Structure formats: C-alpha cells, structure tokens
C-alpha cells in the first residue's frame, strides 16, 4: 500500500505563499528623498555631524580670535585639503577592506626626493616629481602584491613598509646630502600647479575637490566602485561573483601611495623645504578621517564625501586649537574624541540602516 | 502515477550533467566511492545524507574546487575536466552556498549585477547603469515569484535570510546557470523562510534549470524533489524517484545503522 505523497512527506500541502507579508519585522526603508531620516542613514552623516559640531565649538570658543576670519577659514580648509588628499584613496582602500599605514612615510620620502633633485642638485623640479611618482607607485604596488600574495593583514604589511620607506628615505637623504632636511626655492609652472594660492587659499584645495569628485564618481558609479564595495564586504562572495578582487586591491594600494606622493609634492614646494618627517602625522589621521566620515573599519561601506568631512573635522580641530593658543597636541585630543564618537554613531546608524534595531 | 520516474523524467528533460562513477580519496581515505547520477534540465535532484556522507566532497568535485580521483563528469554528454571554479562556471554550473552569496551592506541592485554590471557610456564615462540594474533585479524577482515589494536601492541587509538566499539563487539563474548547485540553502532558515526558497526552486525548475539540491532535511527534499539520491559514507545507498519512498525511510537511510540497513536493501529492491 502506498500513501499519497503529501501524507507521507509531512509537508503542508500548499506552501505558504511567498512574499506575502514581511517574513520578519523588516522596517520599510523610507523612500521619501530629503527627509531627515534618510539623510541620517547615509554613511557620510556621521562625518557631516562631526564637522558641524567641531565647527560650532570652535566658532564659539575662538570666533573672536580669528577662527571665523577669511584667513582662519582658509587655514582650516588648507589643512583639511592636504589631509583630505591622503585620506580619499586611503578611505577608498578601506572600503575595499585594506589599510595603508605607509602613506605618511611616502609623503616624507616624496619630500626628500623632490628636494634633493630640485634643491640640492638644482635639477628640473619635474625630474624629482616623476621619480617620486614612480617610487610611490612602486611602493603601492609592492604593498598590494605582498598583501594579496601572502594574505597577511595589510595593517602589518604596510606598517613594515612604513618603516622601510622612512628608514630608506633618511638613509638616502643622509648619504646624498648629509642632511634629512633640504631647502629649495620653488618657482615656475610646478610651483603654480602645486604650491600657488589665491589670498590665503591654497591650490591644494582645488586638487582636493577635483579628486574628491573623481573618487566619488568612481566609487559610486563605476563597476570598479561596485567591485571595491564587494571586495571589502565579503571577499569570498565577491570572488564567486567573478570580481577580480586582487586587481581591485592592488590598484587601490597604488592610488593611496600616489595620493601621498601628491601631498608630498604640494607640501615640499609650499614650504620650500624637503623633510623626511613630513607627513608622519598622516599615518593614523588619514584612517581617522575615513572612519569619522563613516567608512567601516572592516570594509564594504563608506563614501568619499564622508571621508572629506572627516578631513574637515581634523582641519577645524587643529586650526581651532591653534587660534585658541592652546598646545597643538590638544588637536589630537579632539580628533580622538570625535573618532570614538563617530565610531559609536556609525555603528548605531548602520544597525538602523539594516533594520536590526 | 510516476512509478518509473527515471525514464519518465528523461523522456521530458535532457541530461545536462552526468557523473559516472566519480570518486575522491584524501590521502588514501575514500571520501566518495563510485558515485553516479544524472542532472536533468527542469528537474530537481535531491542529494541527501548525514554530515560526513560525502555531500560537500561531491559539490567540490562538480564545481571545480577539487579534482576527481576517479570516474568522469560529462556536461552535454562530453567529458569535462574542471580545474577551477571559474571553468565550472563557464560551463553554466553555478553554486549557491549557505553562508555566502550576498553582501548585506550593498543594495539589492548592486548585489544582483555584481561582476556583470550593465554599463552606459564609453571610456572614462563608462558607468554602471543602475536604473537597468534595478530593473533587472526587480523584474527577475517578480518573474520568479517574489511578490513582496523590494526596492532595488534597498540594502540587502534589510532582507530576511530566506530572501537573501533567494536573491543569490535568482542571480545565478539570471546569469545563465544551467546547473544550479545549492549547498544546504535552507539549513539556517525557519519554516516560512525555507518555504520561500523551496517555492523558488520550483520556479527555477520550470525555467529548465537542472537543480542539485543538497540537504540533510528530508522534508525539504521531499517537498520539491523529483529524484532522490542518498549518500552514506561516500556511497550511493539509495536512488529513487518521487513517490517511491517515505520521508521516514529517507531519514533512516541517511542515518544508517543495523536495523536501518534493512531499509536500504528494501529500497534497492523496490527500485530494481
């Protein structure tokens, strides 16, 4: 005797209709654009709030000490732009799930290369710039290839690279010039391109805005951007979908090094001085800017606009402290505070964004 | 009544992939011993077995993750040698794993088209056509019977586990899977969520895809399967069509044991 399959296979005769009603309490994502709710759910919301908060604080404390003047505004914007240029590709790389701690020493190395060629040997500035770009790209390539090939955490790989580059730059600089600080006097087209200013506003602002626009376009609109999100979100899933995750990572390591090279060139030609220690503060401030701006430390989430707000937060805090006449080290206190607050806020926002409240 | 399920199904469906006596040894330990089965277009073959029965090994062999120790794999009646997951994918063999498959912090549309994004423009202006991606995603979802309104811009993390699993399956079907290998797609899901995935499998089957549904849940297998293969210690201990066995017996077959091995003999007898 054979029973009917439905009684044998103790399974409901008709399956519950698919998709009728939410299978669990999933809050509907608001579709209304421009509402406060959707604005707060954007990844860059944390960065925007941090920047506004720190601006309000210093406008209140240091508004009468020049913080709100045109020069004061230019000062924090200039500071933000230099950090911002480093932070953009670092944030992009973090979206793809990797760190780059070597950017700070690449700034110093670039500075030494440009100053040695231009200031010490009196060569064309372009020779130093081209060499710095080539060396920077090589360092990024090496960071990427080592990380991808060994599967070691990029935190360690680039920490090692940071020390290697730093030591190498000091060694070469001392060997060639007997000094780790070389002066020069920038002039001509290279100065216009990298170190000119209108009033108190530096040309680095233009670089920053243009690069932020390009990075936003690439991250949000192109296939490469989609691949970067996926690579950082879940490496295995991305690979299974056919994303060339290694290529994505290596190219982003090269970009983060090149961002540091650009800032190295800008600062060296602006200060008329090449110094190995230039940019050493960027090691962690670039990552801090990205995190304050909503880039997820574990990758797969974040925006370039947020990263820019993170850099603005740093710029405002450092210049605000300067105008107050406080010890410059207090800048770090503020940045650190905002970093922690941003981490907490971003975690919270992401949970809300995913409806897991 | 479909008593001779095999011949009936073969009459209406073509064989997309056939495994002929495949085996796999790990350092002399046989994980899979001479397993043969056929995956037919528009049919769901359920591969059942307890943990360690060789289900995962079989998946790894047919998706190119590992190499055969013996036997052969035929796709469209010609022998193939997969040396990487990519080479298996190129022959239309897609795998959806239980844990991986979607990215929670990316939108439904971004997830859906990942790796094969539709683009507009040329050169530097070449960008992802998100309107098209969203259309593809929502259209495929409604075609395959997901009736809940899902916005292409919605983060995948806001979907339920079953919907996420469904999204991964629909993705594979949209990108031309001919053989869909599902590794325990319902293992982590509740009843309603499982039902969503199982109903989707029936739709996928209607589209002519050959489905290999790997599970240790006999009820889920029974709900959608056309053919059932039970593995135990690397060997096929039962191979039968729909209506030939009961869920209880399937479970006994899977579990094994002295008393239960009688059922294995019984099952084999009835099929011969």
């Amino acid at each position: 005797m054979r029973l009917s399959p439905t009684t044998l296979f103790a399974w409901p005769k008709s399956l519950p209709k698919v998709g009728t009603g939410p299978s669990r309490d999933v809050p509907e994502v608001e579709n209304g654009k421009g509402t406060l709710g959707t604005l707060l759910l954007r990844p860059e919301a944390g960065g925007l709030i941090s920047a506004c908060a720190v601006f309000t604080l210093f406008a209140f404390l240091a508004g009468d000490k020049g913080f709100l003047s045109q020069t004061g505004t230019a000062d924090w914007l200039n500071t933000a732009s230099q950090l911002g240029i480093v932070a953009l590709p670092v944030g992009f790389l973090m979206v793809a799930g990797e760190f780059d701690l070597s950017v700070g020493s690449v700034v110093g190395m670039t500075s030494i290369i440009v100053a040695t060629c231009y200031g010490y040997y009196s060569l064309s500035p372009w020779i130093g710039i081209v060499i710095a770009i080539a060396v920077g790209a090589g360092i990024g390539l090496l960071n990427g290839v080592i990380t991808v090939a060994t599967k070691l955490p990029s935190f360690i790989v680039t920490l090692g690279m940071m020390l290697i580059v730093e030591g190498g730059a000091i060694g070469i600089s001392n060997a060639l010039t007997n000094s780790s600080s070389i002066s020069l006097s920038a002039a001509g087209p290279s100065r216009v391109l990298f170190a000119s200013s209108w009033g108190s506003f530096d040309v680095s602002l233009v670089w920053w805005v243009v690069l932020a626009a390009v990075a936003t376009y690439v991250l949000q609109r192109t296939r490469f951007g989609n691949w970067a999100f996926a690579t950082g979100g879940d490496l295995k899933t991305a690979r299974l979908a056919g994303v060339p995750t290694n290529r994505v990572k290596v190219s982003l390591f090269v970009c983060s090094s090149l961002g540091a090279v650009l800032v190295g060139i800008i600062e060296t030609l602006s200060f008329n001085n090449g110094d190995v220690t230039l940019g050493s503060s960027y090691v962690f401030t670039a990552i801090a800017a990205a995190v304050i701006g909503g880039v997820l430390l574990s990758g797969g989430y974040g925006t370039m606009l947020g990263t820019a707000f993170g850099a603005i937060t740093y710029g405002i805090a450092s210049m605000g402290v300067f105008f107050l006449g406080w010890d410059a080290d207090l800048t770090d206190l503020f940045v650190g505070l905002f970093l922690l607050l941003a981490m907490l806020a971003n975690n919270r926002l992401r949970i809300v964004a995913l409806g897991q409240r | 009544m479909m008593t001779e399920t095999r011949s009936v199904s073969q009459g209406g469906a073509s064989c997309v992939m056939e495994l002929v006596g495949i085996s796999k040894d790990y350092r002399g330990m046989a994980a899979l011993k001479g397993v043969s089965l056929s995956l037919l277009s528009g049919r769901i073959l359920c591969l059942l077995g307890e943990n360690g029965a060789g289900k995962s090994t079989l998946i790894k062999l047919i998706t190119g993750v590992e190499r055969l120790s013996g036997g052969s794999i035929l796709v469209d009646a010609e022998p193939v040698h997969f040396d990487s997951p990519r080479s298996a994918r190129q022959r239309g063999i897609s795998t959806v794993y239980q844990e991986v498959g979607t990215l929670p912090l990316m939108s439904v549309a971004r997830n859906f088209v990942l790796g094969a994004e539709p683009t507009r423009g040329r050169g530097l202006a070449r960008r992802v056509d998100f309107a098209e991606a969203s259309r593809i995603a929502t259209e495929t979802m409604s075609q395959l019977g997901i009736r809940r309104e899902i916005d292409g811009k919605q983060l995948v993390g806001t979907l339920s586990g079953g919907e996420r699993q469904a999204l991964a399956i629909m993705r594979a079907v949209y990108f031309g899977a001919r053989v869909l290998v599902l590794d325990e797609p319902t293992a982590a899901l509740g009843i309603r969520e499982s039902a969503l995935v199982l109903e989707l499998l029936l739709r996928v089957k209607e589209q002519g895809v050959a489905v290999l549904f790997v599970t240790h849940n006999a009820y889920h297998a029974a709900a959608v399967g056309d053919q059932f293969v039970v593995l135990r210690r690397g060997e096929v201990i039962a191979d039968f069509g729909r209506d030939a066995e009961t869920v209880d017996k399937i479970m006994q077959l899977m579990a094994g044991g002295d008393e239960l091995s009688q059922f294995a003999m019984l099952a084999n007898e009835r099929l011969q």
Side-chain angles (χ1 to χ4, degrees), chain A residues 11-313:
Chain A
W11 180 262
K13 194 165 191 173
S14 65
L15 295 166
K17 286 298 171 224
V18 180
T20 47
S23 35
R24 67 189 170 99
D25 280 338
V26 178
E28 292 297 318
V29 167
E30 289 177 64
N31 285 323
K33 280 179 186 162
T35 63
L36 190 65
T38 41
L39 196 69
L40 281 174
L41 289 183
R42 296 196 57 83
E44 58 269 17
L48 178 62
I49 293 167
S50 305
C52 290
V54 76
F55 182 83
T56 313
L57 178 72
F58 284 108
F60 182 68
L61 290 176
D64 55 348
K65 296 191 176 75
F67 175 73
L68 289 175
S69 68
Q70 197 197 349
T71 329
T73 307
D75 281 345
W76 66 255
L77 275 173
N78 292 341
T79 308
S81 72
Q82 287 173 10
L83 172 62
I85 293 169
V86 179
L88 283 173
V90 167
F92 207 133
L93 181 66
M94 282 170 67
V95 167
E98 300 291 350
F99 287 105
D100 189 351
L101 300 182
S102 68
V103 284
S105 60
V106 170
V107 172
M109 181 219 63
T110 301
S111 183
I112 278 301
I113 291 176
V114 171
T116 304
C117 292
Y118 191 26
Y120 189 78
Y121 290 112
S122 302
L123 300 167
S124 154
W126 297 105
I127 293 177
I129 289 169
V130 167
I131 294 174
I133 290 172
V135 174
I139 291 168
L141 194 66
L142 216 54
N143 277 336
V145 170
I146 294 172
T147 302
V148 163
T150 61
K151 296 188 170 65
L152 286 171
S154 50
F155 193 91
I156 296 301
V157 171
T158 58
L159 182 68
M161 188 59 80
M162 174 188 95
L163 297 171
I164 291 169
V165 171
E166 205 175 78
I170 293 172
I172 291 170
S173 161
N174 282 337
L176 292 178
T177 69
N178 275 323
S179 165
S180 58
S181 177
I182 305 140
S183 63
L184 55 93
S185 66
S190 64
R191 196 190 167 280
V192 174
L193 197 57
F194 298 111
S196 55
S197 51
W198 293 274
S200 320
F201 295 92
D202 291 346
V203 71
S204 58
L205 277 167
V206 178
W207 281 101
W208 183 37
V209 170
V210 169
L211 288 175
V214 170
T216 297
Y217 173 78
V218 173
L219 183 60
Q220 301 295 334
R221 308 297 308 178
T222 67
R223 298 187 72 189
F224 186 84
N226 209 38
W227 296 350
F229 278 125
T231 302
D234 188 316
L235 195 64
K236 200 176 171 197
T237 301
R239 278 227 185 101
L240 281 172
V243 173
T245 54
N246 289 350
R247 227 168 64 205
V248 168
K249 286 185 180 182
V250 173
S251 22
L252 286 174
F253 272 111
V254 172
C255 287
S256 74
S257 267
L258 289 179
V261 168
L262 176 58
V263 171
I265 296 168
I266 288 172
E267 294 191 346
T268 307
L269 297 183
S270 305
F271 304 158
N272 280 323
N273 187 60
D275 197 317
V276 173
T277 59
L278 210 61
S280 55
S281 67
Y282 294 142
V283 179
F284 290 109
T285 48
I287 291 172
V291 171
I292 289 172
V295 175
L296 198 55
L297 213 56
S298 51
Y301 197 65
T303 63
M304 293 294 99
L305 189 61
T307 306
F309 282 130
I312 287 174
T313 303

